[in-house]
Amino acid sequence: MSDNRFSVPQQWRAWMWQGEALQQEIISAEPLQPHDVLVQNAAIGLNPVDWKVLASQIGKVPGVDGAGTVVALGAEVDPGLLGARVAYHQSLRRNGSFAEFTVLTAQVLMRLPDELDFATAASLPCPMLTAWQAIEKVPTQPGAAILIAGAGGSAGHFLVQMAQARGFEVTTLSHERHWSRLHALGAKRCLSDSMHNAEATQRRYFAVIDAVGPEHAAHLADNLLANGHLVCIQGRVEQWPCGPFGRALSLHEVALGALHLHGDAQQWRALTQQGERLMAQLVQGKLESELLLHFPYDQLPAQLLALQHRNFSGKQIILL
C-alpha cells in the first residue's frame, strides 16, 4: 500500500559491493512482500560490521543501520505504519541501508520519538541494541566489578552507561583518547591494555564484556572471579578458557544477526520495544549519544574505508 502523500519511485540510487569497491548503481523497485515496508532513508549509520562482512555482500547493497520514513507497505502490514519515522537494523541477507530506499520486514522497525532527529536515530540500532543484549547477559549485582574491553567504540559507549545505570563498578580498556569521555559516561577506572596487564593478577571482575576479538576475550578470562561471566561481541571464544568445574565461568556471545535468522516475532517485539525505550531515554537526557560526524551520500565509500582504518572518535553518519 502506498499513499499520494509519499513519492514511491520505480528506481533509486544505491551503493553496491562489486568485490573490490562500492559502486553506485540504480535499483529497480519490486512489489513488496506482504510483511515488508519501504523506507525512504534520511540518514545511514556506519558500523564496523559493514566492512567486515563485505566478502558476503558481492552484488548486494551493504549497510545494517538506517533511519527514515515508511513510504509504502506490504498487504499484511499495519496501515498505521505508513508515514512513520523509524530506525532499523537490517538483515545481512537483504539489500541494506546504503541506498536512498530500503525494503525491510516491518517487525524490525523502531518508531522514533518526535524529538529525535534522523541522524541521531541512524547512529543507534547496531551499537545500542548490541550493548543492551550484552548487558542483559550479566545478572545485575550492584557494586560488582565489570570490565568492558574495547570501550572506545560505539557499543562500548552505550555499554558503559548501561552498566553504570545498573550499579556496576565499571572499568574500561581502550585507547587513551577515549578516557575523558568514558569517565564522563560513568567509568570509574579507564585503562590501556598495558596498564591492565601490569595489574592483571591484582584485580578480579564479576563480568568481562569484550568488544575486541576472541583471543583478547580469552586472555581476559583469567581476570574473572568464580562463577563470572565472559561476554563476547567481536568473535566468540572457541574453547572454554578454564578447566572444568574450576573457575566455573559462563560464556556468552552477542549477535543481532541471530534474530534475523532464528528469532521469532516475540523476540523482535521485545528488542524493538527496548530500542524505543532507549531512544526515549536519550531524548530525556538519561542516555547520551556519541559525537556524530556528518557526511554527504557521495562520501559513503570513503567514510567506510576510514572506518576500517579508524583513528578518530565519533560516529559517522551519511545524510541523504
Side-chain angles (χ1 to χ4, degrees):
M1 181 175 68
S2 60
D3 188 302
N4 59 14
R5 293 176 296 164
F6 306 107
S7 176
V8 181
Q10 293 304 303
Q11 296 180 320
W12 54 81
R13 295 181 301 162
W15 290 104
M16 298 188 73
W17 180 248
Q18 300 297 2
E20 296 183 359
L22 286 170
Q23 296 181 11
Q24 194 156 187
E25 307 282 353
I26 299 298
I27 298 289
S28 296
E30 297 182 357
L32 293 178
Q33 295 301 306
H35 297 284
D36 284 349
V37 302
L38 181 67
V39 171
Q40 182 174 6
N41 292 315
I44 300 162
L46 299 189
N47 296 283
V49 67
D50 294 328
W51 64 262
K52 291 180 178 180
V53 300
L54 285 176
S56 68
Q57 301 293 293
I58 296 176
K60 295 175 62 178
V61 179
V64 294
D65 281 358
T69 303
V70 178
V71 296
L73 309 176
E76 301 297 323
V77 177
D78 177 6
L81 270 176
L82 192 62
R85 300 170 67 251
V86 297
Y88 61 83
H89 183 275
Q90 173 68 308
S91 168
L92 291 172
R93 294 196 171 188
R94 307 192 70 173
N95 279 334
S97 61
F98 291 6
E100 293 179 310
F101 292 80
T102 301
V103 178
L104 304 120
T105 303
Q107 69 179 359
V108 310
L109 300 180
M110 295 176 288
R111 289 179 179 264
L112 306 186
D114 292 340
E115 303 89 343
L116 192 65
D117 62 274
F118 284 126
T120 303
S123 75
L124 299 174
C126 187
M128 182 182 69
L129 296 176
T130 295
W132 178 75
Q133 284 190 326
I135 200 67
E136 281 286 293
K137 300 285 189 180
V138 181
T140 298
Q141 289 194 14
I146 188 170
L147 178 66
I148 299 173
S154 295
H157 179 91
F158 292 105
L159 265 168
V160 170
Q161 298 178 77
M162 294 176 186
Q164 192 275 337
R166 296 184 183 210
F168 289 110
E169 179 188 288
V170 180
T171 297
T172 64
L173 292 182
S174 75
H175 191 282
E176 186 175 357
R177 69 173 178 267
H178 303 297
W179 290 357
S180 60
R181 172 172 57 90
L182 296 174
H183 276 304
L185 294 174
K188 183 174 181 180
R189 303 168 69 247
C190 295
L191 306 174
S192 65
D193 274 323
S194 60
M195 293 170 63
H196 169 263
N197 291 338
E199 66 166 33
T201 60
Q202 304 169 29
R203 291 188 64 85
R204 293 289 183 264
Y205 299 91
F206 172 64
V208 170
I209 301 178
D210 182 83
V212 178
E215 293 182 359
H216 196 263
H219 173 71
L220 295 177
D222 285 342
N223 298 121
L224 283 164
L225 291 163
N227 299 305
H229 297 265
L230 179 61
V231 185
C232 300
I233 294 176
Q234 294 288 352
R236 71 178 183 181
V237 175
E238 291 294 339
Q239 296 184 346
W240 214 276
C242 60
F245 304 101
R247 202 180 297 260
L249 303 183
S250 295
L251 298 184
H252 310 273
E253 60 184 11
V254 176
L256 282 174
L259 268 75
H260 290 291
L261 295 176
H262 307 293
D264 61 16
Q266 182 177 359
Q267 288 180 306
W268 272 108
R269 279 195 300 272
L271 184 72
T272 56
Q273 287 172 2
Q274 182 61 39
E276 291 173 354
R277 284 192 287 269
L278 291 168
M279 289 190 290
Q281 290 178 20
L282 193 147
V283 169
Q284 296 161 6
K286 299 177 181 178
L287 196 65
E288 184 175 330
S289 69
E290 296 181 84
L291 170 69
L292 302 185
L293 309 174
H294 295 169
F295 302 94
Y297 182 69
D298 62 2
Q299 288 192 24
L300 193 156
Q303 291 307 313
L304 189 64
L305 182 62
L307 182 59
Q308 185 174 354
H309 302 285
R310 185 184 186 111
N311 62 357
F312 59 89
S313 295
K315 178 79 170 183
Q316 299 150 295
I317 302 298
I318 305 300
L319 301 177
L320 291 90

